């Protein structure tokens, strides 16, 4: 069992920080990498795992603390898994609204039965920058892409992601509900088990 009281979160995404801190509870304090540096590392990996490890190592190097990274995204069946690891950059870095508008447009003629998609989250935890044994945990969340945005909660693609088990979009779930069932919740559940936190 590894005991951490403070971890740096290797993410500049405020939505992730909020969700992950809520899932971890008070036993572990997550500090944002933004406290240490505003420079974001280039995500040069070809997989969620590679990018998560790359971000975790970078944050541990900058902060001198153990680091947790979250690499996540949306894999749409009809698009062969795109935007996948490029989810944040789908509309060339123009942000969430542009990403969502592009996805709706690309899928505009695709029937409901072919709009299946998964949110993917890989968490990587390194004890230090050169850790030879990062802890890796993955979570998937199956749903479908809506034909128009709905809901105000969450971030990113949440307004477009229909959640079959709740019959609403992921942006219509309360934050507490999303944190029970999301891809990130599933990955965090595994991580908490690995860390002996549950
Ligand atoms: O790399 P960091 O700094 O952590 O922040 P980021 O926002 O760039 O994060 P990623 O590189 O992992 O890209 C994740 C993309 O997938 C989207 N995404 C991930 N989890 C999501 C969630 O729970 N709800 C909605 N969109 C999500 C998110 O909006 C981003 O566009
Ligand atoms: Mg990123």
């Amino acid at each position: 069992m590894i005991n951490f009281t403070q971890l740096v979160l290797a993410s500049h995404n405020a939505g992730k920080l909020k969700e992950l801190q809520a899932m971890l509870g008070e036993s572990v304090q997550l500090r944002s990498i933004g406290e240490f540096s505003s420079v974001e590392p280039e995500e040069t990996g070809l997989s969620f795992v590679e990018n998560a490890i790359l971000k975790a190592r970078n944050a541990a190097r900058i902060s001198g603390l153990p680091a947790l990274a979250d690499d996540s995204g949306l894999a749409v069946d009809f698009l062969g898994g795109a935007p996948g690891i490029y989810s944040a950059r789908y509309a060339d870095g123009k942000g969430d609204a542009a990403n969502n508008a592009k996805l709706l447009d690309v899928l505009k003629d695709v029937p409901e039965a072919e709009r299946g998609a998964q949110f993917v989250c890989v968490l990587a935890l390194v004890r230090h920058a050169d850790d030879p044994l990062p802890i890796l945990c993955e979570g998937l969340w199956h749903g479908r892409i809506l034909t128009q945005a709905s809901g105000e909660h969450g971030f990113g693609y949440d307004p477009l992601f229909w959640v079959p088990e709740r019959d609403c979009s992921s942006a219509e779930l309360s934050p507490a509900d999303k944190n029970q069932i999301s891809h990130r919740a599933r990955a965090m559940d595994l991580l908490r088990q690995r860390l002996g936190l549950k």
Side-chain angles (χ1 to χ4, degrees):
M1 198 224 284
I2 312 171
N3 245 327
F4 295 109
T5 50
Q6 256 196 30
L7 279 177
V8 64
L9 179 66
S11 175
H12 293 269
N13 182 319
K16 289 183 185 179
L17 177 64
K18 225 171 162 178
E19 292 185 6
L20 291 166
Q21 183 67 76
M23 292 170 198
L24 271 169
E26 285 168 10
S27 52
V28 180
Q29 188 201 347
L30 276 185
R31 294 179 60 182
S32 168
I33 187 61
E35 287 180 39
F36 302 90
S37 169
S38 58
V39 183
E40 298 190 32
E42 222 189 312
E43 296 180 29
T44 52
L46 292 179
S47 62
F48 292 102
V49 167
E50 288 166 282
N51 282 339
I53 293 175
L54 173 158
K55 289 191 276 191
R57 289 200 194 289
N58 176 70
R61 188 166 293 117
I62 289 170
S63 67
L65 289 170
L68 175 67
D70 167 316
D71 201 58
S72 44
L74 183 66
V76 178
D77 299 341
F78 186 83
L79 304 177
I85 60 165
Y86 304 106
S87 294
R89 300 166 264 177
Y90 192 43
D92 304 317
K94 296 199 195 92
D96 289 346
N99 288 339
N100 287 356
K102 179 172 174 182
L103 185 61
L104 283 179
D105 187 51
V106 167
L107 297 179
K108 67 177 181 303
D109 298 321
V110 178
E112 190 173 310
E114 292 174 53
R115 298 177 75 94
Q118 295 81 52
F119 268 130
V120 181
C121 174
V122 171
L123 296 175
L125 180 66
V126 297
R127 293 160 293 178
H128 54 84
D130 302 319
D131 191 341
L133 193 60
I135 296 177
L136 294 167
C137 299
E138 180 186 277
L140 297 182
W141 195 18
H142 297 278
R144 210 182 287 157
I145 304 303
L146 291 161
T147 52
Q148 57 180 35
S150 188
E152 305 293 331
H153 297 297
F155 64 96
Y157 296 92
D158 281 328
L160 300 189
F161 189 77
W162 180 71
V163 180
E165 62 266 46
R166 298 295 161 89
D167 196 17
C168 67
S169 85
S170 122
E172 289 169 328
L173 292 173
S174 70
D177 270 358
K178 182 184 172 195
N179 289 344
Q180 291 285 323
I181 60 176
S182 74
H183 52 317
R184 187 162 292 108
R186 288 169 199 199
M188 180 52 88
D189 212 44
L190 294 172
L191 182 65
R192 289 172 58 213
Q193 285 175 34
R194 285 285 294 274
L195 296 179
L197 294 174
K198 63 177 294 188

